[in-house]
Amino acid sequence: VIREPVAPAADPALRDRYVAVRAQTAALAAPLSAEDCQIQSMPDASPTKWHLAHTTWFFETFVLSPHLPGYRDFEPRFRALFNSYYNSVGEQPLRAARGLVSRPGLDVVYAYRRHVDGAMTALLEGGRLAAGVARVVELGLQHEQQHQELILTDIKHALWAQPGRPQYAAPAPPRPPRDAVPRLAWQAYEAGIVAIGHDGAGFAFDNELPHHQALVPAAALASRLVTCGEYLDFVRDGGYERPALWLAAGWEAVRAAGWHAPLYWRRQDGEWFITTLHGDRALAPAEPVCHVSFYEADAYARWAGARLPTEFEWERAARDVAGDGNFLESGALHPRPLTGRDGPAGGPAQLFGDVWEWTASPYTGYPGYRPQAGALGEYNGKFMSDQWVLRGGSCATPRAHMRATYRNFFPAATRWQFSGVRLARDAGA
Amino acid sequence: VIREPVAPAADPALRDRYVAVRAQTAALAAPLSAEDCQIQSMPDASPTKWHLAHTTWFFETFVLSPHLPGYRDFEPRFRALFNSYYNSVGEQPLRAARGLVSRPGLDVVYAYRRHVDGAMTALLEGGRLAAGVARVVELGLQHEQQHQELILTDIKHALWAQPGRPQYAAPAPPRPPRDAVPRLAWQAYEAGIVAIGHDGAGFAFDNELPHHQALVPAAALASRLVTCGEYLDFVRDGGYERPALWLAAGWEAVRAAGWHAPLYWRRQDGEWFITTLHGDRALAPAEPVCHVSFYEADAYARWAGARLPTEFEWERAARDVAGDGNFLESGALHPRPLTGRDGPAGGPAQLFGDVWEWTASPYTGYPGYRPQAGALGEYNGKFMSDQWVLRGGSCATPRAHMRATYRNFFPAATRWQFSGVRLARDAGA
Amino acid sequence: VIREPVAPAADPALRDRYVAVRAQTAALAAPLSAEDCQIQSMPDASPTKWHLAHTTWFFETFVLSPHLPGYRDFEPRFRALFNSYYNSVGEQPLRAARGLVSRPGLDVVYAYRRHVDGAMTALLEGGRLAAGVARVVELGLQHEQQHQELILTDIKHALWAQPGRPQYAAPAPPRPPRDAVPRLAWQAYEAGIVAIGHDGAGFAFDNELPHHQALVPAAALASRLVTCGEYLDFVRDGGYERPALWLAAGWEAVRAAGWHAPLYWRRQDGEWFITTLHGDRALAPAEPVCHVSFYEADAYARWAGARLPTEFEWERAARDVAGDGNFLESGALHPRPLTGRDGPAGGPAQLFGDVWEWTASPYTGYPGYRPQAGALGEYNGKFMSDQWVLRGGSCATPRAHMRATYRNFFPAATRWQFSGVRLARDAGA
Amino acid sequence: VIREPVAPAADPALRDRYVAVRAQTAALAAPLSAEDCQIQSMPDASPTKWHLAHTTWFFETFVLSPHLPGYRDFEPRFRALFNSYYNSVGEQPLRAARGLVSRPGLDVVYAYRRHVDGAMTALLEGGRLAAGVARVVELGLQHEQQHQELILTDIKHALWAQPGRPQYAAPAPPRPPRDAVPRLAWQAYEAGIVAIGHDGAGFAFDNELPHHQALVPAAALASRLVTCGEYLDFVRDGGYERPALWLAAGWEAVRAAGWHAPLYWRRQDGEWFITTLHGDRALAPAEPVCHVSFYEADAYARWAGARLPTEFEWERAARDVAGDGNFLESGALHPRPLTGRDGPAGGPAQLFGDVWEWTASPYTGYPGYRPQAGALGEYNGKFMSDQWVLRGGSCATPRAHMRATYRNFFPAATRWQFSGVRLARDAGA
């Protein structure tokens, strides 16, 4: 997964990053009670307690157990209990039943974290670390950052699913009443051979490799994300009642699930409201729309006379843009309206952060793709079917976790992630 | 529901019973963590936290709110949140989603209990209590006792459903190795008109009324419950593979659910083990079999050349027998082998306690049955279809809750209750 | 099943009845194409072709094969293919997949019928027939009459389920516009010990035995069936929206299945229409309501301030009433309005024919019930759970098939039979 | 869809092709009874009668009704009844319920075909035909050819699903006992920019357009298809029990569906048998494996140390190879073993015919893809998600229907088509 040896010697930076990432996870769980951390509102989502334990299990299983002499498991049963999907490691409890595991309790899971953190810091402070081990530590930190985002999206769903819709965090300060955003413009790109994928130093997942050439047609990308106000126009125009706007599988999903708006939207007395991690409030038209499925993103684009970008079109645009944006660290925990000064200077705005952008690209391996050897080869490769690539990260993604070559992926009907829409169109369209 | 005014004046006994019953509920939940109290392992079962809250809701809704002047709800939202199935009171959250309600937390539910207990003791200590109100208080206590049993059966299932099968309570002392029980004998009864149902003072549910006459044929009842050893003979004889032994619906259940032994039995390396509230241990042949469905009880009886008793046959036998037995108060939390001295003196043994006994009687109203007026009329009457009557109480039933006319009822495929088998046969068979 | 030897010698009457019953089956299938005879619109219903074959299979399996020396199966594979539910005979194809069996075709099935009919008439004409064999022949004829009714109810559903709702038979003559029926009166019965079940000569199913005494309370029975007009009042009064009127399981069925009127009713532009075997037409208020489930019958009765009769109350009323009525032979194939002259002379009207009457009695065995020995013991006994007794026969029942002790049975949610409602009430209610 | 005007004047060739294609459809249905033509064994498959009617509906709806003055529908109700999925045309009956439509019968559907054929030949013989109309006629013929293949694959499934597994056509002559095939060799291709998609005269579907350039990496293609013998090695090596060989979604499918071999394989007494349209017979190791899902093809390739080709790799190889092979016209109705003389001369063998070859390419639109305008735009575009591309046609495909740019597509779990496996590998692998 990692192209270059990251840590040929004891690496204080790695140790510090370890401590910081682990602390960030605990901070995200801090507002939650033991009961909150226990619940699982659907098979796709996991309890917070499970996330806390599974990220710890990763370090125990792939770092401490094989690489720290004398390390003793905190509790041998956890080896199976907190395995997610690594068949090479052994059997796993049913994913949909994670919310039934009341034992160990949350306090024991925190003790498990402390136990592993103690051993990990000892390892990281203990002198020369083999490059291969450092790579797995780095992978473990990237893995934990992914679960930080899932902690937020999963608890958002679980709290929303309850009567009363309790909030995760205290209400955000009142939003300014501005409902306008800069006009959507089109940024044009020439056809040509484009370098795609990770190349160079730094961490990347194996699905960003090999670095390779692709012939990408001319196309234009929207200068910003689609807003809630624009999406509301689609809803009001009968978007959810017109099969001609939808992929066949999307239309089936609309009818089977009764979709009539994005997840977390609801209409009451003629007004639209949304649920955020800070509680319920009125829909803000200027905010980027989120919690839409691929099918909805695709249908919206068709309605708007456009299409979704391919992941290569997206990457071509993103590689020359500074990777900044509204990430987890902003504390907003929700996408934010584009302000005038965010406008297209040197490229489309909002490429990074705010919402994951659905692309028109099914998730497959790049030419010559090889999964990592061993159990960690199950990390990405086996999911390369029946999913779609999303790019750019969201307001729940740690900033340090994101880059222009990063490929996220979810099935087309997925809605509980912070997933939104950027439009594209063919050159000359 | 109650035939005679129970409490024409301030009733210290009722107040004391209230305090004792409520304390008993809390004592049953005491071994459980906040996470344990949160989980729901199947739609039929409820979280302990829900039981704690719903029993409290009953007093708030049916006693305090209408009858204690100036009473203020602890939290108005709870009126809907902890309603079980009273359509007259309003909408209820989906039964299968009770395990998702992380807010309020367990500590808040205990505060809710204290709030209601304070108001209830004030009411009960406050002078003359209208007879109608006292009746509802009494019903609330009976209701809470029913939920005490459910707390145990529900948590037994929820703990068993987890990897590792944690136990509810510390292991019981080792059982004596005795595997023998008194030989099964047959107690004969003459045909005749028998008085059925509740008649006289004391509490009874509306489904035990009206007291009426029934013509009950001659029959014989087994002197004791069917044991695990006897049931194991049925299993070993291919009981679960021979459709001729089963009702058609039972055989469908066997195949659909993959039943091959009672719930909580498992076979490992040729030996049988069971899960109890005290943890896993070897099957004890002398113990009464439990956690069988009506279908299994019926099939076993057919295999044994017998049948299940009707509820009238059972009541005819039970009304002259002292209503003692292995109830909740024994602390065993599991059925116990019959000892020599428990033998049939004056009637069959083990009629009360140990296990609920499936009868051959579908659950319907007695001739002239009228549900109680108002919302409490939903307590029993609306369930009078598609269920079967069980009699006698179990090791999880409070002793004071049981009597010879008591009618419990569950659907035929139910297995998570402490339900077992007593045989009957026709006269001359 | 049969109490007395029916046929001690060659029995021309039995031979003639055999020919007549078999011809009646073919006559019912005559209006149907090969395609019509192929389809199966739900697991509960079977294709006409299957009924034609299975009734033939019955004679081949239980009469010819064991009792006619030298008989050769028409096609040995049919022994398994057309078995319904006799586990003792062997495996059966999945019930829900009967509509997939295109081979043998309809013409082959008719050849199968001719083959068996030839052998059967040879047997019946061939001299002394053992009494036991004659009994099974009689059972086979009764069995075939049951399937005659099912042919009609199953094809009614299958045609209705198609776009266009084609009709089974040519339109009936226009109905007279009379919408009135005699006023509903109450026929009172004293409490007392009543003889229940079959006693004497003639055929009866084993579930009508043993003849026994039952103590039946005083009660009153409605003088006629509930009409469509009366039921429409229930619908218009919000009957399908008020949970307090329903058994809990019934209310679940209403919500899960979206019931809002009886099966085959539909509302269009404010008017109600129904589907009959003669095609679609306007609802006739004076006709007895049919195609209601037990749950709907029970809810209607509750709404009307009454209840359903028990099967003993029904039998007490029916045994002194002439068993005539609107049966299959009338050709109406639909219940008919009661005319003035049908009024209560010597007992309630419409007890026989028109519609099966749901009773308040779950289907169980009478005291001392013993299923017939051998495979034919699977005929009735194994279905004695989770169903309800219906009495009296319908417009699709052959007249000769019905009697006062006859017990039909279906699960509570069943609607595709001609099932309707007679009210009862407690004495003094 | 069609690049060039096909028929600027009355076109005898088009008329003759119309007649020939229509006759071919009828010939495929000829061995089937009315009952055979009625049945539908799963929602994905349709009854033969429906195929006969729907292909006719296509000409009536898109050609005769808009373009033949004075044309009168055979039966106006058929406009909705035999619509497949064209939302623009109107509502459609539920796909899964096609097997319930007994009316019209098969004879009426044949009359419908004759009615439309009469009008169509009149139109085609009637002088100058607008180019746009000729294009739709051509599309209708291509559409009918697709349904010819579906008639065979659907009836194969429907016959196999019955007890007794009757055959579609008389047994084929005995196969020569040869079990060997030419050794699998690898044909190498250089990296480069390759022209992809349809370009030039002749018919193509809109999903083969636009013609465009793609950068295709160096790779090698297997010289022939994977055989049953090779696939059996995979089965015997535990292929269906080793999750590491499978995509995650594939492994879920294996477990959920209980797959342990290709569809239509079964093991009996240690030997393997398969069901063909000519009946059951022993597995022939030299035949190409077929009736595997994408997941199985992918897992087999991984087990074999290879991968599936992308659709561009396949097209690069196929465009210089003669498009001949074992198509429908051979009458084999089953893939055939490669003989020595079929070996790799000028390219891989068996690219065309025998079995559809799963590719590693999800089905999406080519850059700049535009669906056809109007209702016919629903033909392909709306299915461009959650499916995979297959190439090359099968033994059930009419030869004239196939070409190197043809893109077939099915969901990954599809098995009832004649779908097989060709291996590929990276250059240097």
Side-chain angles (χ1 to χ4, degrees), chain B residues 23-38:
Chain B
Q24 172 71 355
T25 305
L28 290 174
L32 302 173
S33 69
E35 291 94 332
D36 292 337
C37 291
Q38 178 65 39

Side-chain angles (χ1 to χ4, degrees), chain A residues 60-417:
Chain A
E60 184 172 72
T61 302
F62 296 121
V63 178
L64 295 175
S65 189
H67 300 300
L68 181 62
Y71 176 75
R72 295 189 53 177
D73 277 10
F74 178 76
E75 163 56 62
R77 285 200 317 107
F78 290 5
R79 197 56 67 91
L81 189 56
F82 294 121
N83 183 1
S84 52
Y85 53 67
Y86 294 86
N87 294 307
S88 320
V89 173
E91 288 292 308
Q92 312 106 39
L94 272 184
R95 181 172 180 169
R98 288 175 184 164
L100 297 185
V101 180
S102 68
R103 317 257 182 110
L106 183 61
D107 52 348
V108 176
V109 166
Y110 276 120
Y112 179 35
R113 288 184 70 88
R114 286 191 300 270
H115 174 87
V116 164
D117 287 348
M120 282 297 297
T121 46
L123 178 75
L124 295 175
E125 291 164 355
R128 234 183 144 67
L129 195 64
V133 179
R135 281 174 210 153
V136 181
V137 173
E138 181 60 39
L139 181 61
L141 294 176
Q142 300 283 341
H143 172 258
E144 183 133 358
Q145 288 178 317
Q146 292 179 316
H147 282 276
Q148 288 170 0
E149 177 149 8
L150 292 173
I151 284 174
L152 289 170
T153 54
D154 292 0
I155 199 69
K156 181 171 183 177
H157 191 271
L159 293 172
W160 167 81
Q162 301 186 33
R165 282 190 293 275
Q167 68 206 13
Y168 163 76
R175 244 179 359 84
R178 184 175 47 84
D179 286 345
V181 286
R183 196 177 55 79
L184 190 150
W186 294 95
Q187 178 94 15
Y189 297 85
E190 296 296 309
I193 289 184
V194 176
I196 294 294
H198 183 70
D199 180 29
F203 176 85
F205 285 109
D206 62 8
N207 64 10
E208 301 170 57
L209 300 173
H211 184 73
H212 68 288
Q213 308 287 315
L215 182 50
V216 185
L221 247 62
S223 56
R224 58 165 172 74
L225 295 168
V226 171
T227 65
C228 286
E230 288 164 340
Y231 197 88
L232 187 56
D233 290 341
F234 166 73
V235 174
R236 287 178 170 148
D237 195 38
Y240 284 85
E241 287 115 49
R242 293 162 55 186
L245 296 172
W246 296 78
L247 288 165
W251 184 240
E252 272 180 48
V254 165
R255 288 192 295 183
W259 290 344
H260 61 279
L263 180 63
Y264 302 133
W265 287 35
R266 77 172 197 285
R267 200 170 177 221
Q268 192 176 307
D269 302 330
E271 296 298 309
W272 286 93
F273 296 85
I274 64 168
T275 299
T276 75
L277 283 162
H278 292 293
D280 272 29
R281 62 165 167 74
L283 185 77
E287 284 175 356
V289 68
C290 68
H291 297 300
V292 295
S293 63
F294 169 81
Y295 295 130
E296 289 163 297
D298 170 82
Y300 175 84
R302 191 168 290 111
W303 174 83
R307 60 169 174 83
L308 300 179
T310 66
E311 63 168 324
F312 294 168
E313 290 169 345
W314 191 96
E315 189 168 330
R316 172 170 62 183
R319 58 189 349 162
D320 302 323
V321 168
D324 204 358
N326 173 22
F327 283 111
L328 174 64
E329 288 78 3
S330 80
L333 302 182
H334 204 72
R336 288 191 302 207
L338 184 66
T339 62
R341 69 180 180 282
D342 301 324
Q350 297 177 311
L351 282 168
F352 291 98
D354 283 315
V355 297
W356 288 100
E357 303 179 20
W358 284 109
T359 74
S361 299
Y363 178 51
T364 60
Y366 288 161
Y369 169 72
R370 289 279 176 284
Q372 189 165 352
L376 290 170
E378 297 188 57
Y379 203 106
N380 282 306
K382 74 180 182 182
F383 300 109
M384 288 180 172
S385 76
D386 310 292
Q387 310 212 34
W388 297 81
V389 173
L390 301 99
R391 293 293 194 116
S394 83
C395 57
T397 313
R399 179 184 314 228
H401 189 64
M402 198 39 46
R403 60 198 158 266
T405 59
Y406 193 103
R407 308 172 79 199
N408 198 358
F409 49 91
F410 278 98
T414 306
R415 311 214 302 172
W416 96 108
Q417 295 300 303

Side-chain angles (χ1 to χ4, degrees), chain B residues 17 40 98 104 115 130 172 175 200 205 224 334 340-341 346 349 368 400 428:
Chain B
R17 287 197 54 238
Q40 177 179 33
R98 288 175 185 164
H115 174 89
R175 247 180 354 86
F205 285 109
R224 59 162 172 76
H334 204 73
R341 68 180 180 280

Side-chain angles (χ1 to χ4, degrees), chain B residues 83-94:
Chain B
N83 184 0
S84 52
Y85 53 67
Y86 294 86
N87 294 306
S88 319
V89 174
E91 288 292 308
Q92 312 105 38
L94 271 186

